[in-house]
Amino acid sequence: MQEQNPLISVIIPAYNAENFIDETIDSVLAQTYQDFEIIVVDDGSKDRTVDIVRQRALEDKRIILLRQENQGVAAARNLAIHHAKGVYIAPIDADDIWYPLKLEKQVACMLEGGSQVGIVSSWFVFIDEDGELMNGWVANRADGCVQELLIYHNPIPASIPLIRRAALEKVGFYNQELKQRNAQGLEDWELGLRIAQHYEFRTVPEILIAYRQVTESMSNDWQQMERSYHLVMDIAKKLYPEVSAELYRWSLAEMYYYFAGKCQQVGAHRDSLLWMIKACNVDSSLLSRPEVRKLIFRQSIYLLVQPIASLFLTHQSWMQWRKRFRKSKIDLEIIKQAAEQSYKLSNDLYSVRVKQLKSSL
């Protein structure tokens, strides 16, 4: 019975999450797969997060509240795992959303893959502070042995994976040293690199998660995430010394490109352009990609137009106009179709590059 309906421990680290924690919990409770517990760890919040979660725990006995002094997201997740009773661990950040089939699809994929599978991931889309779709999706392919793919980029950010508890017991929990070195933000990537040494990965090729992009938190974290990236790659080089230095160079360029894209999403056009310049300095071949040239062109235009627009519009009204304009162009079904088409085209940049690299050795 346990094999067919394994208990899942949903773990939610929460710090000053009063604006979104209710919606996140609602999305978990709305899952078609109902064999789970929800462990919320309050990481020293100063707002109403604790009161909200306490009330939810009174309403549903599957919700458990734990508290700790502010120690960072890795420590919060680890505390939840230590108290977890599930065969699988499903992390979700306190502002993200799961679509109803998330757990059902991932459990089925995990059971089908067998004990050699340590992590099951899925595709995801981006939403803004109001829960509205943003223009973007991630349809990664992470199947089988994925060590090289995990060095190139991270296909399993925090709210995505279903993780086998036995894998965590084998390789250890989330790395709390990143926080101690003022470089948190990529603990999920570092954990995935360790799990990939011993287990295969699987992907459910469907959009099952919505990642919330919060402007205030995003605008201040990039330098910290850059430090975290370099620490994680130092760990990766020790885990996988045989991997070519060229792959690490591509990885750094892709990380800077990722930063540029995230800054673009929240209207930080100058920062976006600066990160894009850094990416192209690391790997000039990025300029051959149409989407890169398009991003550079757009950010340059925005930087020229914004000072003029600010004479007539406040920053807030400018962002509201941009949001209304984006919303009129975005539809989840269109995004799903685009993601499916992208996934079917296995001849992606990563695959091409790795083939070229291996043929040159």
Side-chain angles (χ1 to χ4, degrees), residues 89 98 103 154 176 242 294 338:
I89 304 296
W98 285 347
L103 291 181
N154 179 21
Q176 297 179 210
E242 72 282 359
K294 184 177 179 181

Side-chain angles (χ1 to χ4, degrees), residues 313-329:
L313 297 169
T314 66
H315 177 72
Q316 183 177 5
S317 60
W318 169 258
M319 293 299 291
Q320 288 174 346
W321 180 86
R322 289 181 70 246
K323 178 181 173 181
R324 288 198 300 271
F325 180 73
R326 285 201 313 263
K327 183 178 178 181
S328 67
K329 299 171 59 178

Side-chain angles (χ1 to χ4, degrees), residues 27-86:
S27 78
V28 177
L29 295 176
Q31 292 294 298
T32 55
Y33 188 96
Q34 286 285 301
D35 293 303
F36 57 74
E37 60 178 357
I38 302 174
I39 304 176
V40 181
V41 177
D42 177 72
D43 189 34
S45 295
K46 297 177 175 62
D47 63 1
R48 295 180 53 253
T49 298
V50 170
D51 295 334
I52 292 170
V53 177
R54 276 179 177 158
Q55 181 59 41
R56 299 306 300 264
L58 292 175
E59 298 167 359
D60 193 313
K61 64 181 180 180
R62 293 174 297 179
I63 300 174
I64 302 163
L65 173 64
L66 303 176
R67 302 183 68 184
Q68 65 177 25
E69 296 295 322
N70 182 252
Q71 299 178 50
V73 65
R77 291 182 187 138
N78 288 344
L79 178 62
I81 295 169
H82 280 298
H83 286 80
K85 300 176 182 178

Side-chain angles (χ1 to χ4, degrees), residues 117-259:
V117 176
I119 287 181
V120 173
S121 67
S122 306
W123 301 349
F124 57 93
V125 292
F126 298 104
I127 57 175
D128 63 17
E129 290 98 327
D130 299 321
E132 300 289 349
L133 279 170
M134 301 178 73
N135 191 14
W137 72 90
V138 175
N140 285 318
R141 182 185 296 273
D143 292 298
C145 297
V146 297
Q147 292 95 334
E148 288 181 335
L149 172 64
L150 276 178
I151 291 170
Y152 184 66
H153 73 130
N154 179 21
I156 51 160
S159 299
I160 304 300
L162 182 70
I163 307 172
R164 187 178 297 277
R165 173 63 181 259
L168 292 170
E169 292 173 347
K170 185 177 184 69
V171 307
F173 297 174
Y174 289 91
N175 188 340
Q176 297 179 210
E177 292 185 8
L178 296 180
K179 166 70 171 178
Q180 295 166 8
R181 300 177 70 173
N182 194 30
Q184 65 177 341
L186 297 176
E187 294 84 356
D188 50 334
W189 197 348
E190 193 273 342
L191 176 61
L193 285 163
R194 285 185 280 124
I195 291 177
Q197 278 192 300
H198 307 281
Y199 291 88
E200 295 181 3
F201 285 32
R202 293 288 186 274
T203 299
V204 177
E206 298 181 33
I207 294 172
L208 299 176
I209 301 99
Y211 248 97
R212 195 182 302 271
Q213 309 299 291
V214 180
T215 303
E216 285 187 9
S217 63
M218 289 181 61
S219 62
N220 301 317
D221 289 347
W222 303 116
Q223 301 299 329
Q224 188 179 64
M225 285 190 69
E226 184 181 18
R227 288 193 297 273
S228 186
Y229 170 82
H230 288 296
L231 290 173
V232 169
M233 287 301 109
D234 286 343
I235 293 170
K237 290 173 183 176
K238 294 177 182 178
L239 294 174
Y240 306 107
E242 72 282 359
V243 171
S244 168
E246 189 76 350
L247 187 58
Y248 286 100
R249 184 172 69 86
W250 293 339
S251 174
L252 178 59
E254 289 293 328
M255 194 67 194
Y256 287 155
Y257 179 34
Y258 169 79
F259 289 167

